[in-house]
């Protein structure tokens, strides 16, 4: 048995390399769009945080968060995305939003 390095994309046929490049360009574009959409979302949630702080509302809203999780799970299912993954992602985002709201409330 020889110790050969694993195959890499450069070992693939030119047509396979071209298809990989095309798909990776699409992935890069989607990643950029996701980052920009998250930035827009956080701009809105910063405004929510300021409004909550101004009116002495709590940083977290568990009822709203539960509704959003249910909604996002349904959207994920209809988009054929794993709802558990979508929920984990939203929980991560919600935790960051709450952290921002707590920071705003303290300032």
């Amino acid at each position: 048995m020889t110790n050969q390095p694993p195959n890499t994309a450069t070992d693939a046929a030119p047509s396979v390399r071209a298809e990989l490049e095309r798909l990776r360009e699409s992935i890069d574009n989607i990643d950029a769009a996701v980052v920009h959409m998250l930035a827009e979302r956080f701009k809105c949630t910063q405004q929510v945080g300021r409004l909550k702080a101004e009116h002495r509302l709590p940083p977290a809203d568990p009822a709203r968060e539960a509704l959003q999780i249910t909604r996002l799970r349904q959207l994920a299912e209809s988009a054929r995305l794993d709802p558990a993954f979508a929920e984990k992602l939203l929980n991560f985002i919600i935790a960051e939003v709450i952290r921002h709201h707590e920071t705003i409330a303290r300032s």
Side-chain angles (χ1 to χ4, degrees):
M1 179 173 192
T2 61
N3 286 339
Q4 295 180 356
N7 290 342
T8 64
T10 57
D11 296 331
S15 62
V16 173
R17 287 195 311 269
E19 182 68 0
L20 279 171
E21 183 61 28
R22 183 189 70 75
L23 291 167
R24 288 174 174 164
E25 285 177 11
S26 291
I27 291 167
D28 292 348
N29 290 335
I30 293 165
D31 287 346
V34 167
V35 167
H36 287 281
M37 292 301 294
L38 282 171
E40 284 301 309
R41 188 185 196 288
F42 278 105
K43 286 178 190 174
C44 290
T45 61
Q46 290 288 340
Q47 292 174 3
V48 168
R50 286 190 291 276
L51 188 61
K52 284 181 172 184
E54 182 181 323
H55 294 279
R56 294 190 170 95
L57 297 170
D61 185 344
R64 163 79 175 159
E65 293 154 18
L67 286 173
Q68 285 299 94
I69 288 168
T70 299
R71 179 178 161 273
L72 193 72
R73 286 184 69 90
Q74 291 169 346
L75 287 170
E77 286 177 16
S78 69
R80 300 181 62 154
L81 177 69
D82 179 5
F85 169 77
E87 182 174 345
K88 287 177 192 174
L89 178 61
L90 186 60
N91 281 327
F92 179 78
I93 292 169
I94 289 170
E96 186 67 8
V97 168
I98 291 169
R99 189 182 69 75
H100 289 175
H101 289 185
E102 290 169 344
T103 300
I104 291 167
R106 285 191 302 269
S107 61

